Amino acid sequence: MIIRWRAIDEPQPGPKWAGLFQEFWPDYHQWWIREGPEARPGYLDSVNALKTHMPELLPLYEELCDLAGGADHAARFLSFYCPPPYLSACSQALWPGPEPVLVRNYDYSPHAFDGVVMRTEWLGRTVLGTSDSLWGLVDGINDAGLAMSLTFGGRRVVGEGFGVPLILRYVLQTCETAEEAGAALSRLPTHMSYNVTVVDRSRKFLTAFMAPDRKAVLKHVSVATNHQEKVEWDSHARFTATVERERFLLQRLTLHREPEEKFIGAFLKPPLYSSAFSEGFGTLYTAVYRPRKLEMELRWPGSVWHMPLMAFDERTLAVQVPGF
């Protein structure tokens, strides 16, 4: 399979974002209503949730709703409050060298992936990252040198809260340090369990184990796969090899310090790299974030796409998904 990636630079919401909405909305809409629209919160509940937990995003949310046409379903979807449940795999870790470097694999289905990298200057903050749900992010970096990424937390519980891509967007729009990010992640409600790893330009880091049914736990750990403090969903853990991947990364961090390129290269090989696309969780890309240099890279076996935050070029790239 070929995934067509697009790098889009639009400082303020405008025709490029509106074009993305028109392109992706039919598929997102079918996913959002798959249990019936009545299964999702109403417009007032969605807006009130944003007002309560992410008031800084309200002006941006309203602007995006207008660009999307102002329809009820679109506005409720864009709040990303209590969306349908969804699963991913993923591995992420911090390189133990002197420079802060966050590396992550995003394991997901290529049939449900946008393939869009967005650079924005919304609300006065420059943010660059891998787009999801049209204004959310699954990983990203901001102009303060704060970088973050997510993995699924390996629990079945679904509750009231926001989809985690919007939580990442909020943190990158409003926070500058790992400490500030940790405080935000501790109070924001999530509808499913996720592990969010954060690092800033001072190399301060944390991983937040977020869940809908218990308080977030902040840990000074630099590795996250697909369970939290212990395995709670045995079949998912076996299927994704989450414990094995965690052990592999911890060994690389504790036995000896590898050169940066060798550490990154491990993400492009088994057991971290997955070609299990027939089961829905193959590695779509490896992302590398360097907070002090304010840059992002996407990598695949044999290719690298370098994207500086402040010298960003729009382009497209066709990537052959290995093993699909």
Side-chain angles (χ1 to χ4, degrees):
M1 170 173 282
I2 300 291
I3 294 182
R4 179 175 171 263
W5 283 80
R6 282 172 284 179
I8 295 175
D9 185 5
E10 188 173 51
Q12 303 305 321
K16 294 177 184 177
W17 187 90
L20 288 175
F21 179 85
Q22 292 300 319
E23 177 182 349
F24 290 120
W25 175 235
D27 288 336
Y28 271 122
H29 190 214
Q30 288 303 308
W31 169 73
W32 186 80
I33 63 171
R34 68 184 187 186
E35 299 167 313
E38 67 281 352
R40 309 274 67 85
Y43 173 75
L44 288 179
D45 288 339
S46 301
V47 172
N48 286 335
L50 279 172
K51 286 180 180 178
T52 300
H53 301 286
M54 305 181 187
E56 299 92 335
L57 293 188
L58 269 178
L60 176 59
Y61 166 75
E62 291 170 352
E63 190 171 0
L64 295 177
C65 287
D66 287 343
L67 283 172
D72 175 72
H73 282 195
R76 290 158 64 189
F77 166 80
L78 287 171
S79 76
F80 226 51
Y81 184 59
C82 300
Y86 50 88
L87 305 180
S88 63
C90 312
S91 308
Q92 57 201 27
L94 296 171
W95 178 56
E99 289 289 322
V101 180
L102 173 61
V103 189
R104 67 94 102 257
N105 276 5
Y106 187 66
D107 298 353
Y108 201 54
S109 169
H111 301 295
F113 180 63
D114 296 351
V116 173
V117 175
M118 291 190 67
R119 181 188 182 276
T120 58
E121 297 176 15
W122 296 342
L123 304 176
R125 169 76 71 194
T126 305
V127 174
L128 172 66
T130 311
S131 179
D132 184 82
S133 64
L134 293 166
W135 67 311
L137 298 163
V138 294
D139 48 68
I141 188 170
N142 69 17
D143 54 14
L146 182 68
M148 60 195 308
S149 63
L150 64 88
T151 73
F152 175 59
R155 301 179 70 238
R156 302 181 196 222
V157 180
V158 179
E160 292 187 3
F162 295 96
V164 73
L166 187 60
I167 291 175
L168 262 66
R169 165 63 69 181
Y170 176 81
V171 171
L172 289 173
Q173 291 291 155
T174 61
C175 299
E176 297 188 354
T177 66
E179 182 179 7
E180 292 175 357
L185 293 168
S186 294
R187 68 171 180 81
L188 292 170
T190 174
H191 85 304
M192 294 186 73
S193 297
Y194 285 93
N195 310 325
V196 180
T197 299
V198 181
V199 62
D200 62 28
R201 64 192 314 156
S202 299
R203 212 184 181 285
K204 295 179 180 177
F205 65 88
L206 60 86
T207 294
F209 297 128
M210 305 180 70
D213 59 334
R214 60 194 185 197
K215 291 183 179 179
V217 176
L218 303 185
K219 291 282 189 178
H220 189 70
V221 296
S222 57
V223 170
T225 52
N226 300 122
H227 59 283
Q228 299 192 326
E229 296 181 281
K230 63 180 180 179
V231 170
E232 299 180 56
W233 188 356
D234 290 338
S235 60
H236 184 270
R238 289 193 299 270
F239 175 67
T240 61
T242 177
V243 174
E244 292 81 359
R245 286 183 286 118
E246 181 188 53
R247 287 174 180 166
F248 177 82
L249 283 167
L250 288 173
Q251 286 180 336
R252 303 190 83 88
L253 294 176
T254 57
L255 294 181
H256 59 279
R257 180 183 294 176
E258 294 181 318
E260 180 183 333
E261 279 300 312
K262 187 174 182 181
F263 182 76
I264 296 170
F267 282 78
L268 296 165
K269 303 172 184 176
L272 301 182
Y273 187 89
S274 170
S275 57
F277 290 104
S278 60
E279 286 81 34
F281 294 109
T283 300
L284 295 178
Y285 65 90
T286 298
V288 181
Y289 287 94
R290 298 185 177 88
R292 288 181 188 162
K293 296 181 180 180
L294 296 180
E295 63 183 27
M296 168 189 183
E297 284 179 359
L298 293 182
R299 296 195 180 201
W300 303 269
S303 61
V304 178
W305 190 359
H306 180 65
M307 288 173 278
L309 181 67
M310 297 306 180
F312 185 78
D313 291 324
E314 290 191 316
R315 59 176 291 194
T316 62
L317 184 68
V319 176
Q320 174 74 48
V321 178
F324 186 80

